[in-house]
Amino acid sequence: MISIIIPTFNRNVQLKQCIQSIRDNSAFENEIIVLHPFVDQQTIDLCNEMKVNHQNDNSRVNGKRVKSLWGIINDGIELASFSKVCWLNDDCLVLKDWDKYALNYFENSIGLVILKTKGLDEIGRAHV
């Protein structure tokens, strides 16, 4: 199984579709970890509604960004329960059985796997 890290900031339409895509298209019960600043109650409510683990990414102090995306991702890796970790942007959709394919590559001792995904625009429409 895979721990999936999703950093987000005020993009709840895309985030919801991303999480639903993971649930609909995964072959396994993967762990989903959403990382976001705790300034947006809508994101907190969405994560609770969709029953996904979410954590404060500590990326903002007094509204100013103080941590890079890579710092947020590294924090997510520390939270991961599984040895296989995937980072997705909040505007990504995964394809059917994406995790089966990814795990096949990991089994061959490859440390980094990049899979093609479809993205979402600012109002949640999918594009290739």
Side-chain angles (χ1 to χ4, degrees):
M1 293 197 272
I2 301 172
S3 293
I4 304 162
I5 300 165
I6 308 172
T8 191
F9 181 67
N10 291 337
R11 291 169 38 124
N12 293 322
V13 170
Q14 293 89 342
L15 177 61
K16 185 172 185 172
Q17 290 180 328
C18 177
I19 293 168
Q20 195 59 54
S21 171
I22 294 166
R23 292 218 169 113
D24 291 345
N25 293 305
S26 296
F28 306 107
E29 274 299 309
N30 298 304
E31 174 184 43
I32 300 172
I33 303 169
V34 175
L35 300 166
H36 63 95
F38 276 12
V39 296
D40 180 15
Q41 187 60 45
Q42 290 178 339
T43 302
I44 294 169
D45 293 343
L46 173 64
C47 290
N48 290 335
E49 170 193 327
M50 298 198 79
K51 297 178 176 52
V52 297
N53 182 2
H54 64 101
Q55 298 289 322
N56 186 344
D57 64 15
N58 297 308
S59 65
R60 297 184 188 276
V61 174
N62 297 324
K64 183 177 178 179
R65 188 171 180 153
V66 296
K67 186 185 286 187
S68 71
L69 174 61
W70 301 113
I72 295 167
I73 292 167
N74 284 332
D75 289 348
I77 291 169
E78 292 295 319
L79 295 169
S81 299
F82 301 116
S83 61
K84 311 300 192 261
V85 179
C86 171
W87 155 44
L88 287 180
N89 288 330
D90 57 7
D91 64 347
C92 290
L93 300 177
V94 297
L95 302 175
K96 186 80 175 146
D97 294 336
W98 71 276
D99 49 348
K100 268 198 213 175
Y101 295 107
L103 287 172
N104 283 337
Y105 286 104
F106 279 121
E107 292 303 319
N108 292 320
S109 299
I110 294 175
L112 174 65
V113 178
I114 299 172
L115 301 173
K116 181 180 178 182
T117 63
K118 297 180 194 176
L120 298 175
D121 65 17
E122 64 279 351
I123 59 172
R125 293 179 302 212
H127 58 89
V128 179

